[in-house]
Amino acid sequence: MSVSREQLIDFIYDEARMLDEGRYDEWLALWLDDGHYWMPLDYKQTDPHLVTSLLYEDMFMLRLRVERLNGARTFSQKPKSRCHHVIQRPFVDEMDGDRFVTNTSMHYVETRLDEQFLLALTATHELRLVDGALRIASKRVDLLNSDAAFGNIQLLP
Amino acid sequence: MTNAADIRALFNGPQVHRDVYTSAELYRLEMRHLFTDAWIFVGHDSQTPKKGDYFTTQIGDQPVIQVRHSDGEIHVLHNRCPHKGTKIAIDRDGNTGKFFRCPYHAWSFKTDGCLLAIPLKKGYDGTGLGESENGKGMKAVGAVHVHRGFVFARLAEEGIGFEEYFGDSLSSLDNMVDRSPAGRLEVAGPPLRYMHQCNWKMLVENQTDTCHPMVAHESSAGTAVKIWEEMGNPEPRPVAMQIIAPFMSPYEFFEDMGIRTWPNGHGHTGVNHSIHSDYEAIPGYFEAMVEAYGEERAKAILDENRHNTVYFPNVMVKGPIQQLRNFIPLGPSRTLVESYIYRLVDAPDELLARTAMYNRMINAPTSIVGHDDLEMYERAQEGLLSDGMEWVDVRRLRTGPEDFSEQDVENGTTERQMRNQFDAWVKFMTASMEDA
């Protein structure tokens, strides 16, 4: 089975919509077991391990993050935040057998109570075709202002 | 409110008046007195390793530059051109070569601040500029002291000495540095920068608040423990679990860990053990420490597992994690937290990887632990606007008048360290203030 450019682009749109609609179980199911979600702290950071990042989470941490959102004593989510992705048509940078890399510019809006903020970012997805389905091997989110001081960013860009 | 008696009335032992967190006037006095007369953290010398290297930061509300001068010494200068006030260095760090040059009118200064040159200088002949303060160059802060790589400064020209101010509390910084087989730390990358809409003192108090982790962090640490149980508690536990699970330790654990207070507002949790005690050994590290220090000394260094050490007024150090958090006041209800991590020179990289993980897991604006802390601070900042009650309670395990002039060790759930901070707050707020 082969994957078309359009299927890759649809996948990126679908993922953003799952996050916006809070369909986290479906979202977690997109990931490969050894996947990592990385949000660097420094502009053009190359190392996720030996300097600080905003996020570098494996499936255990992502599952924890998602389960926490629904907890009865998750105080920073009372009331809950909402988020909204506006995405530009993804570039498909690599199509190599069952491995694909996309590059997507987005505006991400998160809101809670009277506060709302906007982040501009570029997401780089590494996707794999496994048993006929596209899965996320890694997602790197580079915030345009990653070195700025932020308040809470509670959901996932 | 400008005299010492008014300031002293804000802290009565068991309670502190809410104005210390909300009043713009008290914030202004903190900047002019406390943050001027006390020793304040600036940076680490590895942030400016080469001559001409500089980085910009703040001491209280004062913009300053830490710079490595041509003689190799660290200088801390007010970041202001003596001519029209323009900030000399705008970027966060860089190398300025042999001199600073103001981008507005090209006045230039040696890296110790001394005036080097002014274009068309004859225009100042007979004007008296040379005799004025502005004609000398960029102004240096009152005093600078580098302790094992950590740069502290006192804005005031005169005042308490570095050793007298910190005393035995320096043992926590020493232990953090001793954990390097080479006895040296190096900063690892830029700090996390996390904006808080609350007073800076709430963050400092929370560093020795041992009754909040199992409550405020139940949603993160408690859920982690629950998921791990559902997975059948597989061993070995990944580093993330080693880091987060101890936040759910019972009250008895925190009672037994102990709190030590030192004079001048310094103190630490984790006298006997801490949430950092049970991390898995990293291969090759102990061997490197024994090689460097001998077995007995290496064990003594690593047996210290202090949790949070507060260096009054506004930094916290985690020795076993090699982390420093700087709580920079930006206003009565606005605080920037910068969380730095350091590499233990000659130690295995796995230690730094754990440190970087701790920093992002616990202290990032994206951290599921940090989220609930910030939520508590910001709720408190809003709640304190209530006129229903004027006093904040800090009397836990206080049974009578306290003497903070001597070191003391107590039950780990005491709020004595918070009281110790307010005792020092009064002392340094009023040190150069007139009595009523």
Side-chain angles (χ1 to χ4, degrees):
Chain A
M1 174 189 163
S2 64
V3 174
S4 69
R5 193 169 288 264
E6 192 176 338
Q7 283 172 303
L8 295 168
I9 292 169
D10 283 349
F11 182 92
I12 301 299
Y13 276 92
D14 287 343
E15 189 228 344
R17 186 172 174 186
M18 285 178 197
L19 290 170
D20 287 351
E21 295 178 354
R23 291 186 279 130
Y24 289 111
D25 290 339
E26 280 176 73
W27 181 76
L28 284 174
L30 297 178
W31 287 79
L32 291 175
D33 289 343
D34 57 353
H36 279 86
Y37 184 120
W38 184 20
M39 189 188 290
L41 174 65
D42 206 9
Y43 189 62
K44 296 191 174 171
Q45 185 174 328
T46 54
D47 179 5
H49 297 290
L50 299 182
V51 291
T52 307
S53 298
L54 288 162
L55 292 173
Y56 184 67
E57 302 208 332
D58 61 11
M59 287 315 292
F60 173 73
M61 286 300 298
L62 289 175
R63 187 178 157 202
L64 167 57
R65 182 172 287 274
V66 162
E67 286 214 17
R68 173 183 170 275
L69 289 175
N70 296 319
R73 289 178 175 163
T74 304
F75 305 115
S76 76
Q77 283 296 293
K78 290 183 171 296
K80 288 186 185 299
S81 303
R82 295 188 287 268
C83 72
H84 183 71
H85 292 75
V86 178
I87 80 178
Q88 181 173 286
R89 185 176 186 273
F91 295 102
V92 177
D93 285 348
E94 293 180 44
M95 293 181 79
D96 179 17
D98 59 1
R99 179 181 173 277
F100 315 91
V101 177
T102 63
N103 173 293
T104 313
S105 294
M106 305 189 192
H107 283 184
Y108 171 82
V109 177
E110 188 176 304
T111 186
R112 179 172 174 252
L113 293 166
D114 293 331
E115 302 295 326
Q116 179 169 291
F117 60 87
L118 168 70
L119 298 171
L121 61 97
T122 301
T124 307
H125 287 77
E126 184 188 342
L127 306 177
R128 295 279 168 79
L129 186 62
V130 178
D131 298 332
L134 282 170
R135 307 280 295 278
I136 304 173
S138 72
K139 177 175 176 179
R140 171 180 170 140
V141 171
D142 285 282
L143 302 183
L144 186 63
N145 60 342
S146 61
D147 52 355
F150 300 107
N152 278 349
I153 302 172
Q154 297 209 53
L155 301 180
L156 286 164
Chain B
M1 194 185 303
T2 50
N3 68 59
D6 290 338
I7 296 295
R8 281 193 281 268
L10 295 167
F11 174 56
N12 62 22
Q15 295 187 314
V16 60
H17 196 273
R18 62 99 186 260
D19 285 358
V20 307
Y21 305 99
T22 58
S23 157
E25 171 66 3
L26 282 171
Y27 175 79
R28 193 186 65 78
L29 291 171
E30 285 180 337
M31 296 304 108
R32 295 294 76 75
H33 291 279
L34 170 59
F35 279 84
T36 302
D37 292 333
W39 284 87
I40 309 296
F41 172 75
V42 180
H44 192 265
D45 70 353
S46 64
Q47 292 173 261
T48 53
K50 296 192 295 291
K51 291 172 185 176
D53 282 351
Y54 68 89
F55 97 100
T56 57
T57 181
Q58 285 182 209
I59 297 176
D61 61 356
Q62 298 296 293
V64 297
I65 307 172
Q66 172 185 312
V67 59
R68 179 85 62 171
H69 186 46
S70 51
D71 63 1
E73 294 295 309
I74 299 272
H75 287 252
V76 180
L77 308 173
H78 287 271
N79 191 359
R80 175 214 198 271
C81 182
H83 180 206
K84 299 294 285 286
T86 312
K87 267 184 167 179
I88 298 288
I90 300 299
D91 42 3
R92 294 201 181 120
D93 52 57
N95 184 290
T96 193
K98 288 193 166 64
F99 59 91
F100 287 112
R101 181 177 183 273
C102 180
Y104 198 177
H105 302 96
W107 288 29
S108 59
F109 313 91
K110 295 179 194 169
T111 44
D112 61 359
C114 291
L115 182 70
L116 187 62
I118 295 177
L120 211 61
K121 200 171 183 185
K122 64 177 185 293
Y124 288 102
D125 288 351
T127 63
L129 176 72
E131 292 74 54
S132 77
E133 187 180 41
N134 303 59
K136 309 286 188 234
M138 292 168 67
K139 189 165 176 158
V141 299
V144 176
H145 188 98
V146 183
H147 182 82
R148 302 197 66 180
F150 289 88
V151 181
F152 290 84
R154 190 188 64 220
L155 289 172
E157 301 275 343
E158 305 287 331
I160 189 169
F162 179 85
E163 297 288 346
E164 186 191 348
Y165 182 74
F166 286 116
D168 291 337
S169 73
L170 292 172
S171 55
S172 285
L173 271 181
D174 290 342
N175 179 259
M176 179 157 76
V177 181
D178 288 343
R179 286 167 175 269
S180 153
R184 207 167 74 247
L185 302 183
E186 284 177 0
V187 71
L192 284 167
R193 305 178 71 245
Y194 194 174
M195 194 64 80
H196 287 53
Q197 305 301 333
C198 69
N199 188 270
W200 62 275
K201 293 187 290 300
M202 289 183 184
L203 281 139
V204 182
E205 285 170 42
N206 193 58
Q207 304 311 308
T208 60
D209 183 320
T210 51
C211 288
H212 88 282
M214 69 298 283
V215 182
H217 302 307
E218 183 185 336
S219 73
S220 49
T223 303
V225 170
K226 191 186 75 148
I227 293 176
W228 200 249
E229 278 170 6
E230 285 167 10
M231 291 165 69
N233 288 318
E235 292 284 344
R237 296 183 309 164
V239 178
M241 272 302 287
Q242 295 176 39
I243 287 173
I244 202 166
F247 281 69
M248 284 311 283
S249 302
Y251 286 111
E252 295 71 32
F253 176 90
F254 289 97
E255 288 193 300
D256 293 344
M257 74 152 60
I259 282 183
R260 178 183 281 120
T261 62
W262 290 289
N264 295 326
H266 317 301
H268 79 93
T269 47
V271 178
N272 306 310
H273 59 256
S274 76
I275 64 168
H276 307 309
S277 297
D278 291 330
Y279 295 157
E280 232 166 68
I282 284 167
Y285 176 50
F286 183 65
E287 291 77 359
M289 288 292 284
V290 170
E291 175 98 353
Y293 294 102
E295 185 162 345
E296 193 179 344
R297 173 93 180 105
K299 275 188 174 154
I301 293 166
L302 298 176
D303 278 350
E304 280 289 347
N305 272 296
R306 297 181 184 186
H307 176 203
N308 292 341
T309 299
V310 169
Y311 286 102
F312 183 78
N314 69 324
V315 292
M316 182 280 281
V317 161
K318 276 186 184 297
I321 292 287
Q322 299 89 51
Q323 182 201 44
L324 182 147
R325 305 185 71 208
N326 189 9
F327 308 111
I328 302 173
L330 300 181
S333 57
R334 193 167 158 84
T335 305
L336 172 62
V337 186
E338 293 193 334
S339 298
Y340 287 96
I341 57 169
Y342 304 96
R343 184 170 75 86
L344 296 169
V345 175
D346 289 351
D349 278 350
E350 288 90 334
L351 276 105
L352 181 54
R354 182 168 69 197
T355 291
M357 176 182 276
Y358 191 95
N359 212 27
R360 67 177 180 260
M361 267 182 69
I362 310 299
N363 298 126
T366 35
S367 158
I368 56 177
V369 175
H371 289 160
D372 286 314
D373 278 325
L374 178 56
E375 179 72 13
M376 296 308 133
Y377 305 140
E378 294 187 349
R379 283 192 195 194
Q381 193 70 35
E382 292 177 21
L384 287 175
L385 296 176
S386 163
D387 292 331
M389 258 180 226
E390 288 184 39
W391 294 85
V392 172
D393 209 277
V394 289
R395 84 179 78 202
R396 188 177 167 76
L397 293 176
R398 178 187 186 273
T399 50
E402 291 174 300
D403 176 9
F404 298 103
S405 66
E406 297 289 335
Q407 171 184 305
D408 188 29
V409 173
E410 290 194 7
N411 177 304
T413 60
T414 183
E415 288 170 341
R416 178 181 163 91
Q417 171 54 18
M418 301 176 203
R419 300 189 290 273
N420 187 34
Q421 285 158 202
F422 279 109
D423 181 74
W425 184 85
V426 170
K427 176 177 172 179
F428 289 98
M429 283 289 273
T430 58
S432 57
M433 201 178 265
E434 283 179 19
D435 263 301

